[in-house]
Amino acid sequence: MSRRETQMTIWYWEQIGGILIEEFLVVPRAEGQGHRLLDGLIILGEKKQRMPVGTRESIEGKDVVVVQTKNTRLGMYLMGQTLFSAQLIRRLGPRSVQSVALCASSDRILQPMLEANEGCKVIVCPPEVCRSTQTSASITGKPTV
Protein backbone atom coordinates (compact mmCIF):
# COMPACT_ATOMS: atom_id res chain seq x y z
CA MET A 1 0.00 0.00 0.00
CA SER A 2 1.29 3.47 -0.81
CA ARG A 3 1.72 6.14 1.86
CA ARG A 4 -1.42 7.97 0.66
CA GLU A 5 -3.42 4.75 0.63
CA THR A 6 -2.25 4.03 4.17
CA GLN A 7 -3.51 7.48 5.20
CA MET A 8 -6.86 6.74 3.56
CA THR A 9 -7.19 3.39 5.32
CA ILE A 10 -6.36 4.97 8.68
CA TRP A 11 -8.90 7.75 8.04
CA TYR A 12 -11.64 5.18 7.48
CA TRP A 13 -10.63 3.16 10.55
CA GLU A 14 -10.74 6.32 12.66
CA GLN A 15 -14.39 6.75 11.62
CA ILE A 16 -15.52 3.27 12.68
CA GLY A 17 -13.06 2.15 15.39
CA GLY A 18 -12.12 -1.39 16.34
CA ILE A 19 -8.80 -3.11 15.77
CA LEU A 20 -7.00 -2.21 12.53
CA ILE A 21 -4.59 -4.69 10.99
CA GLU A 22 -2.87 -3.39 7.85
CA GLU A 23 -1.57 -5.78 5.19
CA PHE A 24 -3.53 -8.69 6.68
CA LEU A 25 -2.45 -11.98 5.10
CA VAL A 26 -5.65 -13.74 4.08
CA VAL A 27 -4.02 -16.40 1.85
CA PRO A 28 -0.40 -17.50 2.36
CA ARG A 29 1.90 -18.22 -0.56
CA ALA A 30 2.06 -21.93 -1.35
CA GLU A 31 2.64 -24.14 -4.33
CA GLY A 32 0.04 -23.28 -6.94
CA GLN A 33 -1.19 -20.10 -5.20
CA GLY A 34 0.03 -16.60 -4.58
CA HIS A 35 -0.31 -14.82 -1.28
CA ARG A 36 -3.20 -12.39 -0.88
CA LEU A 37 -3.08 -9.35 1.38
CA LEU A 38 -5.92 -7.11 2.48
CA ASP A 39 -5.01 -3.41 2.67
CA GLY A 40 -6.80 -3.38 5.99
CA LEU A 41 -8.84 -5.63 8.22
CA ILE A 42 -10.91 -4.02 10.97
CA ILE A 43 -12.28 -6.13 13.80
CA LEU A 44 -15.39 -4.37 15.08
CA GLY A 45 -16.53 -4.29 18.69
CA GLU A 46 -13.00 -4.21 20.10
CA LYS A 47 -11.05 -1.42 21.81
CA LYS A 48 -9.67 0.96 19.18
CA GLN A 49 -6.14 -0.17 18.42
CA ARG A 50 -3.79 -0.08 15.43
CA MET A 51 -1.82 -3.30 15.32
CA PRO A 52 1.60 -3.72 13.68
CA VAL A 53 1.50 -4.37 9.93
CA GLY A 54 0.98 -8.04 9.16
CA THR A 55 -0.33 -9.01 12.60
CA ARG A 56 -2.11 -12.38 12.70
CA GLU A 57 -5.31 -12.37 14.71
CA SER A 58 -8.14 -14.87 14.92
CA ILE A 59 -11.36 -13.46 13.53
CA GLU A 60 -13.52 -16.52 14.07
CA GLY A 61 -16.95 -15.44 15.30
CA LYS A 62 -16.12 -11.72 15.01
CA ASP A 63 -17.61 -8.90 12.95
CA VAL A 64 -15.02 -7.64 10.46
CA VAL A 65 -14.59 -5.03 7.77
CA VAL A 66 -12.28 -5.74 4.84
CA VAL A 67 -10.75 -2.58 3.37
CA GLN A 68 -9.22 -2.40 -0.09
CA THR A 69 -7.83 1.05 -0.89
CA LYS A 70 -6.85 2.83 -4.09
CA ASN A 71 -6.04 6.54 -4.38
CA THR A 72 -7.87 6.65 -7.71
CA ARG A 73 -11.39 6.59 -9.09
CA LEU A 74 -13.32 3.38 -8.42
CA GLY A 75 -12.40 0.88 -11.11
CA MET A 76 -12.85 -2.77 -11.90
CA TYR A 77 -9.53 -3.76 -10.30
CA LEU A 78 -10.57 -2.32 -6.92
CA MET A 79 -14.06 -3.79 -7.35
CA GLY A 80 -12.60 -7.26 -7.87
CA GLN A 81 -10.34 -6.91 -4.84
CA THR A 82 -13.29 -5.81 -2.72
CA LEU A 83 -15.63 -8.59 -3.85
CA PHE A 84 -13.17 -11.47 -3.73
CA SER A 85 -11.45 -10.35 -0.51
CA ALA A 86 -14.81 -10.74 1.23
CA GLN A 87 -15.06 -14.29 -0.06
CA LEU A 88 -11.51 -15.10 1.04
CA ILE A 89 -11.98 -13.71 4.56
CA ARG A 90 -15.20 -15.70 5.04
CA ARG A 91 -13.05 -18.86 4.98
CA LEU A 92 -11.62 -17.74 8.35
CA GLY A 93 -15.02 -17.95 10.07
CA PRO A 94 -16.04 -14.40 10.99
CA ARG A 95 -19.62 -13.80 12.17
CA SER A 96 -20.13 -11.02 9.60
CA VAL A 97 -18.17 -9.41 6.79
CA GLN A 98 -18.44 -5.96 5.28
CA SER A 99 -16.14 -5.26 2.35
CA VAL A 100 -15.22 -1.67 1.53
CA ALA A 101 -13.74 -0.22 -1.64
CA LEU A 102 -12.05 2.93 -0.35
CA CYS A 103 -11.20 5.32 -3.16
CA ALA A 104 -10.54 8.95 -4.14
CA SER A 105 -13.70 9.22 -6.24
CA SER A 106 -16.56 7.03 -7.27
CA ASP A 107 -17.96 5.96 -10.62
CA ARG A 108 -21.70 6.34 -11.21
CA ILE A 109 -21.89 3.16 -13.31
CA LEU A 110 -19.60 0.89 -11.29
CA GLN A 111 -20.59 1.83 -7.72
CA PRO A 112 -24.15 0.41 -7.94
CA MET A 113 -22.77 -2.75 -9.54
CA LEU A 114 -20.41 -3.38 -6.63
CA GLU A 115 -22.96 -2.43 -4.00
CA ALA A 116 -25.45 -4.91 -5.48
CA ASN A 117 -23.28 -7.57 -3.80
CA GLU A 118 -24.27 -8.17 -0.19
CA GLY A 119 -21.91 -6.49 2.26
CA CYS A 120 -19.96 -4.55 -0.38
CA LYS A 121 -19.84 -0.77 -0.42
CA VAL A 122 -17.89 2.14 -1.81
CA ILE A 123 -16.51 4.84 0.48
CA VAL A 124 -15.05 7.99 -1.02
CA CYS A 125 -12.27 9.54 1.01
CA PRO A 126 -12.26 13.34 1.40
CA PRO A 127 -9.76 15.07 -0.88
CA GLU A 128 -7.71 16.41 2.04
CA VAL A 129 -6.98 12.80 3.03
CA CYS A 130 -6.22 11.32 -0.38
CA ARG A 131 -4.80 14.56 -1.82
CA SER A 132 -6.20 13.68 -5.19
CA THR A 133 -7.06 16.16 -7.89
CA GLN A 134 -10.08 14.01 -8.75
CA THR A 135 -13.43 15.15 -7.43
CA SER A 136 -16.75 13.46 -6.97
CA ALA A 137 -20.21 14.70 -6.17
CA SER A 138 -20.45 11.85 -3.68
CA ILE A 139 -17.70 13.11 -1.36
CA THR A 140 -19.27 13.71 2.01
CA GLY A 141 -16.29 13.57 4.32
CA LYS A 142 -17.92 10.78 6.37
CA PRO A 143 -18.32 7.14 5.49
CA THR A 144 -21.69 5.51 5.32
CA VAL A 145 -21.46 2.65 7.77
Side-chain angles (χ1 to χ4, degrees):
M1 213 171 24
S2 75
R3 184 173 56 87
R4 294 244 194 273
E5 290 169 350
T6 297
Q7 291 171 345
M8 293 167 67
T9 300
I10 291 169
W11 169 83
Y12 181 68
W13 164 67
E14 288 174 343
Q15 311 304 306
I16 66 170
I19 295 174
L20 171 64
I21 304 171
E22 298 164 78
E23 303 295 331
F24 184 84
L25 180 66
V26 69
V27 175
R29 184 178 318 276
E31 187 172 332
Q33 70 186 38
H35 74 290
R36 302 287 180 259
L37 298 171
L38 308 178
D39 290 335
L41 179 71
I42 300 170
I43 304 171
L44 299 173
E46 303 285 339
K47 182 180 174 192
K48 189 173 180 182
Q49 183 178 7
R50 185 176 174 195
M51 302 298 285
V53 170
T55 297
R56 295 297 302 162
E57 181 90 16
S58 173
I59 60 168
E60 190 169 341
K62 298 182 180 178
D63 299 315
V64 299
V65 179
V66 171
V67 182
Q68 293 291 12
T69 307
K70 292 287 174 268
N71 190 18
T72 59
R73 177 178 303 279
L74 177 66
M76 292 176 64
Y77 180 80
L78 180 56
M79 289 173 64
Q81 283 186 307
T82 303
L83 181 62
F84 293 115
S85 292
Q87 292 180 19
L88 290 171
I89 205 75
R90 282 187 186 102
R91 298 172 0 152
L92 301 179
R95 178 175 37 205
S96 70
V97 177
Q98 297 175 44
S99 194
V100 170
L102 185 59
C103 52
S105 63
S106 189
D107 183 288
R108 65 182 178 89
I109 301 297
L110 297 179
Q111 181 172 347
M113 295 172 106
L114 180 59
E115 291 180 343
N117 294 280
E118 185 178 344
C120 291
K121 68 169 110 180
V122 175
I123 301 292
V124 176
C125 229
E128 62 271 15
V129 176
C130 57
R131 293 183 174 87
S132 173
T133 58
Q134 300 171 341
T135 60
S136 171
S138 65
I139 293 176
T140 63
K142 293 190 179 198
T144 307
V145 180

